[in-house]
Amino acid sequence: MSRFKGIYWRQFTVTAGMVALTLVLLGASFFSLTYSYIMTEKRGDLKDKAEIIAQMAVSAYNKPGVMLGLWSEDLREIVNVAKQMSDTDFLIWIPSQGAFISTDVSIGGADLTLPGAMGEKLAKDEVYAGTSTLGLYEKPRFVVAVPARSARDGTAVGPVLAVAEPNAMTEMWRTFMGIFGMTAITVLLIAFVATATTTMQQTKPLKDMADAARKFAEGNFDARVHDTGRDDEVGELTAAFNAMADSLQKTEQQRREFIANISHELKTPMTSIAGYADGILDGVISPEEERRYLCIISDESRRLSRLVRRMLDVSQLQSIDPMRMARPFDLSESMRRVLVSMEKKITSRGLDVDVEIPEDPVMVLGDNDLITQVVYNLLENAAKFASRGSTLFLGLARQGEKAVVTVRNAGETIAAEELPLLFERFHKSDKSRSEDKDGVGLGLYIVRTILEQHHEKITAASEDGVTTFSFSIKLAEEQGLTKTV
């Protein structure tokens, strides 16, 4: 992927473009408004000055006893004084003489040409404002023309023209534009920097996640995304990604442990079977001892078969949802059936059984076969590790909306740090005698898996040689369900 097609550049381009477009629109509006305002102010100023000159010209014309030539000299003095008081040139057209008086000495001797629109306005005694060369200038200038007429005899004394160069008129506007331009550039640079920083902060975690995902694909599950402590969607995504990474790492570790454990469990019986079979075939084992070693081969074959069967059971359990097909059943009856099926094993170890199961049905909601398997595994495990001649306890009681099953035996005390490990795959509490046991270390793992699928938990406690397992399951009596047959 091109570096200019990433989220960073897309978001940066969109944000920066929006800021630039906003500044352009604001600038255009500001230019238009300020230019219109300045031109209006300037025109009003020229009009006021021209009207003052016009009044002065009319007053000089109306002065009693003033000869025509002297009147023209008075007008020249008036416009010269006005010129000294402002940066505006003034021009008075004297119709009676067919000449004009101007403060601009550079246009002396030129012919004055009034635009048609100006003549129409002045004929109506209205003020004219516009641009024109007046036949005097090379470039158009801003002109305001004010009619001047004597109130005594109605003679046209003027008009009076106020003339200003466009550059002079727009000087203030240009100053405003310069200030606005510098401000706009500064704001645009700040916006670019802020946008780049913000976009980088948003895209960096995504890049880190992509790098971590690639490392996961390579088998490295130690990669993590740096937690910036952000309390937003990116922070939530970072936390969720790291939680997923922890889960993947734990799953990978469990997978490796599973492979290691199953390799060990499979290797032991297969080594025994192959070794004794080769010994018999090679004649190393005497005919008198062949039967004993054949019995060992048979036992190891059965243990290997149990291991494979249990592994298939675990695989099937992980692919089903027992609560989807949950039905009410009598848990007390199921427990009695388990006890009857375990009678031979219990008796062979010289164990007694203390049973506290209600006579009345205890209806619970779940999968009857799976919960029965849980009770069987727990009771089998208790009988296997109980001291010879001791007493097993199997109890069932109601506690609120739950039915609680308890299995207890007397034997060796299990260390507190080992209790949470009892329900892991292939874990054996009595490792030193693991090969003397029939189990493969999956019984309690199956128990935990079934109960988790029923949204229940199992607890284990061991103290003073007494080990107790307890689990709960939801009662079905509250829902008015009937017993299944």
Side-chain angles (χ1 to χ4, degrees):
M1 181 185 69
S2 174
R3 57 174 298 188
F4 296 105
K5 293 183 179 179
I7 295 177
Y8 172 84
W9 286 105
R10 290 179 181 176
Q11 186 170 352
F12 175 81
T13 302
V14 171
T15 306
M18 291 298 297
V19 173
L21 179 61
T22 301
L23 289 176
V24 169
L25 294 177
L26 288 176
S29 301
F30 181 75
F31 293 164
S32 176
L33 291 175
T34 55
Y35 184 80
S36 176
Y37 172 79
I38 291 174
M39 295 299 290
T40 302
E41 287 293 313
K42 190 64 176 180
R43 182 176 62 183
D45 181 61
L46 293 177
K47 177 177 175 292
D48 293 340
K49 292 178 180 180
E51 287 178 343
I52 293 174
I53 300 301
Q55 292 175 2
M56 294 175 68
V58 171
S59 298
Y61 176 81
N62 292 332
K63 187 182 298 184
V66 176
M67 297 178 65
L68 185 60
L70 295 177
W71 174 68
S72 299
E73 292 298 328
D74 289 343
L75 292 181
R76 191 176 301 278
E77 291 181 3
I78 291 172
V79 295
N80 286 334
V81 171
K83 171 64 177 177
Q84 294 175 2
M85 296 178 62
S86 68
D87 59 351
T88 305
D89 286 320
F90 295 94
L91 186 150
I92 302 177
W93 172 250
I94 305 175
S96 60
Q97 298 181 5
F100 64 88
I101 299 173
S102 175
T103 57
D104 190 350
V105 296
S106 64
I107 60 174
D111 294 329
L112 175 64
T113 303
L114 299 181
M118 181 186 297
E120 294 176 1
K121 286 279 187 178
L122 293 174
K124 298 178 183 178
D125 288 338
E126 296 179 358
V127 177
Y128 168 83
T131 57
S132 175
T133 63
L134 300 175
L136 306 175
Y137 305 101
E138 294 181 358
K139 296 181 180 180
R141 299 197 178 190
F142 193 77
V143 180
V144 175
V146 176
R149 190 179 298 275
S150 173
R152 182 179 60 185
D153 55 11
T155 302
V157 179
V160 177
L161 283 64
V163 182
E165 293 186 6
N167 292 339
M169 295 184 60
T170 58
E171 182 178 354
M172 183 182 297
W173 178 75
R174 289 177 178 177
T175 303
F176 286 163
M177 293 306 99
I179 296 175
F180 180 84
M182 291 298 297
T183 304
I185 292 174
T186 302
V187 171
L188 196 59
L189 290 176
I190 294 175
F192 283 173
V193 173
T195 301
T197 303
T198 304
T199 305
M200 186 176 296
Q201 290 178 349
Q202 292 177 348
T203 57
K204 187 178 182 304
L206 300 180
K207 292 181 179 179
D208 293 343
M209 291 179 195
D211 293 338
R214 282 190 286 268
K215 292 179 180 178
F216 291 165
E218 296 172 357
N220 180 9
F221 292 91
D222 295 327
R224 295 292 184 275
V225 179
H226 177 65
D227 187 4
T228 59
R230 296 174 54 168
D231 188 16
D232 56 9
E233 290 81 358
V234 176
E236 292 181 2
L237 180 60
T238 300
F241 186 90
N242 288 335
M244 179 196 68
D246 292 338
S247 178
L248 288 175
Q249 187 177 40
K250 184 178 180 181
T251 301
E252 176 63 14
Q253 183 178 359
Q254 291 176 345
R255 184 188 69 83
R256 292 177 179 177
E257 292 178 355
F258 176 80
I259 293 175
N261 290 334
I262 196 173
S263 298
H264 176 268
E265 295 294 337
L266 290 173
K267 181 177 66 176
T268 302
M270 292 176 67
T271 301
S272 299
I273 293 172
Y276 292 139
D278 290 342
I280 295 174
L281 293 174
D282 295 340
V284 177
I285 298 176
S286 62
E288 295 78 10
E289 295 181 339
E290 283 185 3
R291 180 175 179 78
R292 182 167 68 89
Y293 286 106
L294 286 174
C295 291
I296 295 175
I297 291 174
S298 177
D299 292 339
E300 290 298 313
S301 299
R302 290 190 177 91
R303 191 159 76 91
L304 186 60
S305 177
R306 285 195 301 272
L307 174 61
V308 174
R309 187 170 60 253
R310 285 296 179 91
M311 289 173 58
L312 291 175
D313 292 342
V314 171
S315 177
Q316 291 175 354
L317 285 175
Q318 293 174 339
S319 62
I320 64 173
D321 182 9
M323 294 306 294
R324 182 178 299 177
M325 301 297 294
R327 295 290 185 273
F329 65 93
D330 184 4
L331 181 57
S332 59
E333 180 181 350
S334 298
M335 293 176 64
R336 292 190 188 95
R337 291 177 179 175
V338 170
L339 192 59
V340 171
S341 66
M342 288 284 298
E343 181 179 1
K344 182 178 180 180
K345 291 185 177 181
I346 294 174
T347 304
S348 65
R349 292 187 55 80
L351 302 174
D352 293 329
V353 180
D354 182 10
V355 180
E356 292 185 7
I357 301 177
E359 294 293 334
D360 297 331
V362 179
M363 304 300 296
V364 296
L365 186 63
D367 188 299
N368 190 0
D369 293 336
L370 294 179
I371 297 301
T372 300
Q373 182 68 42
V374 169
V375 177
Y376 184 92
N377 287 4
L378 290 176
L379 193 60
E380 182 185 39
N381 184 78
K384 186 186 302 182
F385 290 95
S387 302
R388 287 187 174 275
S390 61
T391 301
L392 297 178
F393 174 81
L394 179 63
L396 173 63
R398 293 184 178 88
Q399 292 184 6
E401 297 182 354
K402 302 279 187 175
V404 179
V405 177
T406 303
V407 178
R408 185 167 56 240
N409 73 334
E412 296 183 6
T413 303
I414 302 174
E417 62 273 12
E418 193 175 355
L419 286 174
L421 305 176
L422 294 177
F423 302 98
E424 298 296 330
R425 287 176 293 193
F426 298 109
H427 179 81
K428 296 182 180 180
S429 178
D430 191 359
K431 292 186 172 137
S432 62
R433 295 180 297 155
S434 61
E435 294 188 9
D436 297 331
K437 305 296 181 182
D438 294 333
V440 294
L442 288 173
L444 294 181
Y445 174 76
I446 292 176
V447 167
R448 187 189 67 178
T449 301
I450 293 174
L451 292 176
E452 286 179 348
Q453 290 178 324
H454 282 77
H455 310 296
E456 302 290 349
K457 293 183 179 180
I458 184 170
T459 60
S462 184
E463 187 177 358
D464 298 331
V466 177
T467 302
T468 304
F469 291 91
S470 298
F471 73 89
S472 61
I473 187 168
K474 188 175 181 179
L475 291 170
E477 297 174 338
E478 301 292 334
Q479 303 180 15
L481 299 172
T482 58
K483 176 181 176 181
T484 56
V485 180

